[in-house]
Amino acid sequence: MGVLQERLFSRFGKVKDEALFFSHLLGLPSFFTQWGSLLTSIQEFNSSAPLEVWPGVGPPRLWAFLLLNVILQNVGLKGIYWLLSEWSSLAVTMVTTVRKFLSLLLSIGINAEYGYLFSNPFTTAHWIGSILVLVGSGLFSLPEKKKTE
């Protein structure tokens, strides 16, 4: 996808907001195939406990979390599309891989007693993945050797 976006930016200019808009607009029809599930989720969100902003006043908790998620996703996606318009798709892939790696480490946490948010297990596969991400990031950051003729 990054290579396609890079080609579109080179052909039509750096129109990152337009690319972001169309990538979301074109995905909307797929939600209509899950209409029943959406209605069930809306009912569940409406019946969630309130997130009290003021004593006795506040939106349902799940709607507030969804709004926060939408805002943060928008900020993150705008950043990714800006990166795509300025850097190569390989560099953007590297940045997003490291970001996902850091999110994974945060979500796993070693032990809740030591101040981490969660206490999910950190398995051997996580260690192997961590080493691969760190080695790949290190290799990517090395300067390229110029070819001598």
Side-chain angles (χ1 to χ4, degrees):
M1 179 100 173
V3 174
L4 173 65
Q5 290 166 337
E6 190 175 332
R7 287 182 185 165
L8 289 173
F9 286 153
S10 67
R11 183 171 178 189
F12 299 109
K14 296 179 179 180
V15 286
K16 51 191 172 291
D17 289 332
E18 187 176 345
L20 181 64
F21 172 76
F22 278 110
S23 69
H24 284 78
L25 179 70
L26 295 174
L28 283 177
S30 65
F31 284 100
F32 293 119
T33 63
Q34 301 296 318
W35 193 250
S37 177
L38 279 173
L39 289 177
T40 303
S41 295
I42 289 170
Q43 292 169 351
E44 184 180 329
F45 274 48
N46 288 339
S47 63
S48 66
L51 181 68
E52 291 192 24
V53 179
W54 195 260
V57 178
R61 180 178 300 272
L62 292 178
W63 283 114
F65 290 157
L66 180 64
L67 178 64
L68 179 64
N69 188 348
V70 166
I71 291 168
L72 294 175
Q73 284 288 331
N74 188 23
V75 170
L77 284 172
K78 280 188 172 281
I80 293 299
Y81 275 83
W82 176 82
L83 284 174
L84 271 170
S85 70
E86 300 295 324
W87 294 1
S88 72
S89 59
L90 178 62
V92 175
T93 300
M94 198 68 229
V95 168
T96 56
T97 300
V98 171
R99 184 206 56 82
K100 289 175 185 179
F101 169 70
L102 294 174
S103 295
L104 177 68
L105 289 182
L106 180 66
S107 72
I108 289 175
I110 307 278
N111 192 328
E113 293 179 40
Y114 298 112
Y116 296 99
L117 294 178
F118 305 100
S119 59
N120 298 318
F122 198 78
T123 65
T124 304
H126 291 109
W127 280 111
I128 292 169
S130 299
I131 291 168
L132 290 174
V133 167
L134 292 174
V135 168
S137 301
L139 291 174
F140 181 77
S141 65
L142 294 175
E144 291 183 28
K145 292 184 180 181
K146 295 185 178 182
K147 295 179 182 178
T148 55
E149 294 183 40

